């Protein structure tokens, strides 16, 4: 008999995990709605022509490809087949693949439905994606992404609102965070003024190490990457950039005064910080020049959220991009978006034990089943209790009390209602608090009142 | 430039469709929670060894199979390859497939997690499934299933609660329904007393036509299926079965008096109807002997829900089964379950226009953007409005009024807030009702009050 298992890198979600995940997604969903974002969903399977070539050569290999149903060998010659080249074979034998992220399907959606969409289009999407990555701790082959984007508007007010959304979501979770901000144009400006446009990644990587290895070693690393002394000299005020966001901006304005692009980046950042100052923000906001995620993709603002009380990578990230849909023949659709890291947020909430009471929607009350007569007595009572919105169960069988109490324990049901001969005669309910063991005799109305 | 499209038989869900689907799923979810059901999720991809052989030969062909990443030709000889037999090739080149329903993954889940589960296990699951069926109107290759099951309990109270759940869900939707009930044991009993156990499907199909073709033609059809006159004679009271559920049960008790199995089925039905009479049920309940869905699978109660005000197939169905998990080496797990037909419920709610106001979570209020100064004035006001839970947008750009109002129209936003020079000076908001065109000057507090 086969012993069942699931593919490596995939997960089952138990009732408790699902309740926690629903709490996370519902909280994010509510905040998105509050800001006028609308949900869409796209199919798990996309045409491979939509997906291929969008994630680099490596990405093409990491796509899960679906063998054509019917005759998968149609149109493949014997010679081609005997080549046994997986990618070339797949190109003919597979028309469809599983989505690899939510960005490409979103771009495809925007182009395909351009005539139904009223721009600016604020959409969010919460769906699983699949990657044939080597599974390892914290990295799965199936995982949920949770993206929000505004496309079709260049206004920086969108950036401001994204910051507000991040702030509100993590406030609701009770997670203290720092929202780090940067701007691609500032990074371009820095590369411009030191004349080393192609070294921008090396530079940010080196600057990022300042706290750990100290200034001398950072400069040494820059030298080892081939940066001339003059460029390193010019970089000093940027490496040592310190103080409040306003002080950093003042320094950058000076240092980047010769770069039009750089100054534009500073002005954008300045604008966003000014506007956000008119709203009640609880997160720390920090200008961080080492923030360079998705450098080839982002063209303006770059965001990242770090949890302050847990050691973990970024739990949310995003930025502004140009030309989302150019690859599908629709030019001029720029936007700004971000992605909540659901798995990491799940870990942070677990570590800090931040799930609010009641958020997990477990059963609140179990009625013990003593048999036929009691069942008939209880059915209308239970209907009343449920009508009051109390999540209630009747144990389906009149088995031993111990077994029924064990069920309540295992399911973490906080209250058990015991109605035997005596209680029936008095038309009362013996309500047992499973945590304290305390028992109280109440009427059905009093019971409902208690919850 | 490629014109993007999605695989045939799949769908994008637009914001409006998503809002409606969320309303449907959330309603079902809430009722499940009220009855102590817990959600689980399983991976989209299962090992093909889990899926193959579970849905018959045809089902094996309709599974979407995922080409092994890396070298899909590993372990395949040249001879095997040149056979070009799709199924045999897939057996070696594909380890994984997309789930075909939620029942087999659930059975696999129960076996795999048997030590963590406290039985009776009440689980629900709302996830997409994939079938390589020929797409046609109303039949998709990707569609959501929404299943609820109680396993590990033989008590008929579970059947009673499933009926209550169906009743409550459709009551909340405002859909008037008839819940049809039958019992596999009654059908077995009928076959037994007429000595034609293998003809039970032919018999139910024929009986089902009574209203349309009349008694003579039903009997003629039974004859043509090879039923002897004596059997047809015995079937007459069953074909003509009429009256209330209680009258039908009385007749069946008589007719089936010689069949132990048949009488057991009648007793089960009788018990369920008796218990349900102690709860407030709004749906019609009808004993329908022609109900035979999943005949090879169900062993006791059989359910089906029909909408009374729309011509459409069943919108929910289910029943009791034995031995859910035997195929995975775990015996003795029986249960009862059902499946809400999400796509059909969607169609019924659309046709009857039953979505309650507010259920679609659209933006409630749009602030017009007149420029820099106004933006700064509005940001703290909008934060206040959102804090009050009102779904609010600020148009991100200070473009023409007409464009901004057009956006509100397209997104069906019911109220627009206009704050120009004058309103700012007075610290008021000009609130426009987009339906009536009526405009009112209000303070921020009055505005919040209105929603």
């Amino acid at each position: 008999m086969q012993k069942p298992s699931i593919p490596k890198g995939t997960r089952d979600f138990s009732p408790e995990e699902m309740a926690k995940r629903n709490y996370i997604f519902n909280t994010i969903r509510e905040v998105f709605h509050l800001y006028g974002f609308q949900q869409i969903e796209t199919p798990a399977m996309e045409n491979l022509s939509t997906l291929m070539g969008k994630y680099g050569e490596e990405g093409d290999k990491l796509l899960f490809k679906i063998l054509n149903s019917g005759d998968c060998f149609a149109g493949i010659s014997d010679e081609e087949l005997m080549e046994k080249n997986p990618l070339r074979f797949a190109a003919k034998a597979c028309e469809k693949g599983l989505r690899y992220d939510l960005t490409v399907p979103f771009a495809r959606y925007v182009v395909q439905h351009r005539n139904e969409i009223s721009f600016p289009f604020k959409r969010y999407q919460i769906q699983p994606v699949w990657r044939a990555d080597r599974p390892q701790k914290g990295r799965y082959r199936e995982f949920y992404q949770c993206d929000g984007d505004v496309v079709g508007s260049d206004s920086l007010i969108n950036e401001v609102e994204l910051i507000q959304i991040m702030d509100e979501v993590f406030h609701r979770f009770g997670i203290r965070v720092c929202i780090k901000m940067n701007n691609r144009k500032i990074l371009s400006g820095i590369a411009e003024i030191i004349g080393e446009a192609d070294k921008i990644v090396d530079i940010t990587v080196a600057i990022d190490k300042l706290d750990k290895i100290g200034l001398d070693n950072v400069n040494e690393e820059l030298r080892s990457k081939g940066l001339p002394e003059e460029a390193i000299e010019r970089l000093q005020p940027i490496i040592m950039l310190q103080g409040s966001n306003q002080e950093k901006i003042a320094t950058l304005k000076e240092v980047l005064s010769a770069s039009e692009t750089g100054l534009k980046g500073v002005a954008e950042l300045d604008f966003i910080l000014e506007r956000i100052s008119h709203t009640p923000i609880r997160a720390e906001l920090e200008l961080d020049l080492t923030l360079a995620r998705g450098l080839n993709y982002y063209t303006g603002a770059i965001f990242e959220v770090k949890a302050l009380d847990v050691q973990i990578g970024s739990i949310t990230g995003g930025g502004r991009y140009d030309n989302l849909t150019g690859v599908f023949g629709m030019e001029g659709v720029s936007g700004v978006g971000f992605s909540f890291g659901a798995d990491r947020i799940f870990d942070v909430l677990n570590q800090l034990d931040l799930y609010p009471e009641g958020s997990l929607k477990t059963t609140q009350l179990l009625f013990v089943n003593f048999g036929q007569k009691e069942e008939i007595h209880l059915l209308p009572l239970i209907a009343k209790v449920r009508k009051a919105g109390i999540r209630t169960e009747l144990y389906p069988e009149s088995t031993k009390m111990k077994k029924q109490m064990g069920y309540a324990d295992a399911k973490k049901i906080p209250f058990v209602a015991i109605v035997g001969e005596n209680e029936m005669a008095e038309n009362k309910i013996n309500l047992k608090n499973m945590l304290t063991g305390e028992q109280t005799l109440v009427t059905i109305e009093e019971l409902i009142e208690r919850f």
Side-chain angles (χ1 to χ4, degrees), chain A:
Chain A
M1 196 60 67
Q2 60 184 122
K3 202 185 157 204
S5 64
I6 49 178
K8 60 180 178 191
T10 68
R11 289 166 290 177
D12 284 326
F13 293 113
S14 70
E16 192 179 333
E17 287 163 336
M18 276 309 296
K20 290 178 171 181
R21 293 170 65 84
N22 282 338
Y23 165 69
I24 293 172
F25 290 135
N26 287 338
T27 302
I28 294 174
R29 205 192 307 268
E30 268 173 35
V31 177
F32 271 132
H33 289 162
L34 204 51
Y35 283 78
F37 282 64
Q38 300 176 303
Q39 189 171 15
I40 67 162
E41 277 190 10
T42 62
M45 303 187 292
E46 291 275 353
N47 290 322
L48 274 176
S49 57
T50 300
L51 302 176
M52 294 289 281
K54 309 300 190 296
Y55 308 104
E57 213 171 298
E58 193 56 22
D60 283 354
K61 283 187 201 156
L62 297 184
L63 290 169
F64 280 112
K65 299 170 188 82
I66 293 159
L67 198 64
N68 289 343
S69 46
D71 184 8
C72 62
F73 296 106
I76 301 180
S77 70
D78 292 357
E79 291 70 35
E80 285 171 316
L81 197 53
M82 291 312 291
E83 262 186 56
K84 297 188 180 178
N85 179 313
L87 269 185
R88 272 204 291 278
F89 172 74
K92 295 217 161 177
C94 304
E95 275 172 12
K96 295 178 285 290
L98 295 180
R99 73 176 154 252
Y100 182 87
D101 69 3
L102 301 180
T103 304
V104 168
F106 175 49
R108 194 264 311 143
Y109 180 97
V110 169
V111 176
Q112 202 175 321
H113 301 276
R114 59 209 290 176
N115 295 327
E116 306 145 38
I117 295 171
S118 51
F119 293 96
F121 183 38
K122 297 169 155 188
R123 91 84 171 78
Y124 74 92
Q125 195 168 351
I126 302 175
Q127 291 192 278
V129 302
W130 295 269
R131 297 181 183 181
D133 256 323
R134 191 181 300 273
Q136 46 181 267
K137 194 180 175 309
R139 192 200 282 169
Y140 302 100
R141 292 186 143 190
E142 170 180 87
F143 58 97
Y144 271 76
Q145 288 194 334
C146 177
D147 286 14
D149 288 82
V150 186
V151 296
S153 165
D154 292 330
S155 164
L156 293 170
I157 282 293
N158 297 305
E159 274 83 340
V160 172
E161 291 210 333
L162 291 199
I163 292 170
Q164 289 183 280
I165 291 173
M166 294 183 229
D167 177 63
E168 179 69 22
V169 163
F170 290 108
H171 173 70
R172 290 188 182 201
F173 285 141
I175 300 176
R176 297 194 317 124
V177 296
C178 173
I179 301 176
K180 300 193 170 205
M181 306 168 55
N182 196 6
N183 192 299
R184 166 61 192 267
K185 296 190 182 85
I186 295 179
L187 294 178
S188 299
I190 293 171
E192 208 180 301
I193 58 150
I194 63 169
E196 300 283 339
D198 57 325
K199 295 256 162 45
I200 190 65
V201 173
D202 290 337
I203 293 170
T204 55
V205 167
I207 295 179
D208 194 27
K209 296 182 183 165
L210 182 64
D211 281 350
K212 277 194 212 121
I213 64 177
L215 183 62
D216 289 350
N217 289 317
V218 168
N219 288 336
E220 199 48 55
E221 178 162 330
L222 290 170
R223 253 171 235 122
S224 77
K225 295 289 178 188
L227 242 75
E229 285 305 320
E230 198 200 329
I232 294 173
E233 192 59 37
R234 289 204 188 182
L235 271 178
Q236 295 308 297
I238 287 169
I239 298 171
M240 301 293 292
L241 200 66
Q242 275 183 17
S244 71
N245 292 329
Q246 280 317 317
E247 286 164 343
K248 287 179 184 172
I249 283 176
T251 306
L252 283 172
K253 274 183 184 159
E254 246 169 67
V255 178
L256 295 175
S257 59
S259 162
E260 199 183 322
T261 306
L263 285 180
K264 185 143 197 300
V266 178
E268 287 182 8
L269 208 69
D270 206 10
F271 178 93
I272 293 167
L273 286 169
E274 193 283 326
R275 284 293 187 272
I276 210 79
S277 74
H278 298 286
T279 68
I281 290 282
R282 285 128 316 185
E284 287 180 17
L285 286 181
E286 184 192 328
L287 165 50
D288 179 355
L289 284 188
T290 67
L291 193 62
R293 46 181 303 137
L295 193 62
N296 293 323
Y297 184 61
Y298 294 131
T299 54
I302 305 172
F303 304 113
E304 195 168 276
V305 180
K306 300 274 282 182
L308 292 177
D309 302 315
V310 174
Q311 288 285 348
I312 200 166
S314 75
I315 53 179
T316 289
R320 177 168 284 279
Y321 47 82
D322 281 345
N323 202 10
L324 173 72
T325 53
V327 68
F328 297 118
M330 182 175 174
E331 299 294 335
V333 177
S334 64
V336 56
F338 63 151
S339 188
F340 286 103
D343 285 311
R344 284 190 178 164
I345 293 171
F346 180 84
D347 288 343
V348 171
L349 290 173
N350 273 335
Q351 275 190 52
L352 302 178
D353 195 17
L354 288 175
Y355 294 96
E357 222 173 311
S359 68
L360 301 187
K361 305 280 183 199
T362 49
T363 299
Q364 298 163 285
L365 178 61
L366 173 75
F367 278 83
V368 172
N369 190 331
F370 284 112
Q372 305 271 344
K373 214 168 46 191
E374 290 82 356
E375 243 174 55
I376 292 172
H377 176 77
L378 288 181
L379 282 170
L381 295 185
I382 293 174
K384 263 192 198 167
V385 175
R386 285 191 180 128
K387 189 146 196 241
I390 300 161
R391 296 184 295 276
T392 308
E393 293 184 54
L394 166 63
Y395 196 84
E397 282 157 62
S398 58
T399 50
K400 289 200 197 88
M401 186 75 165
K402 198 181 157 197
K403 195 172 173 193
Q404 302 193 37
M405 295 308 249
Y407 176 82
D409 269 336
K411 224 169 157 177
K412 295 179 184 159
I413 302 175
F415 289 93
V416 168
I418 300 162
V419 182
E421 290 278 349
N422 295 339
E423 289 84 359
M424 276 173 65
E426 288 187 64
N427 213 5
K428 290 265 173 93
I429 293 155
N430 185 350
L431 185 66
K432 179 173 180 177
N433 181 325
M434 292 294 279
L435 209 65
T436 64
E438 187 197 353
Q439 301 196 15
T440 335
L441 210 61
V442 293
T443 64
I444 184 76
E445 289 76 20
E446 286 165 348
L447 181 145
I448 290 170
E449 191 76 6
R450 294 230 167 180
F451 281 88

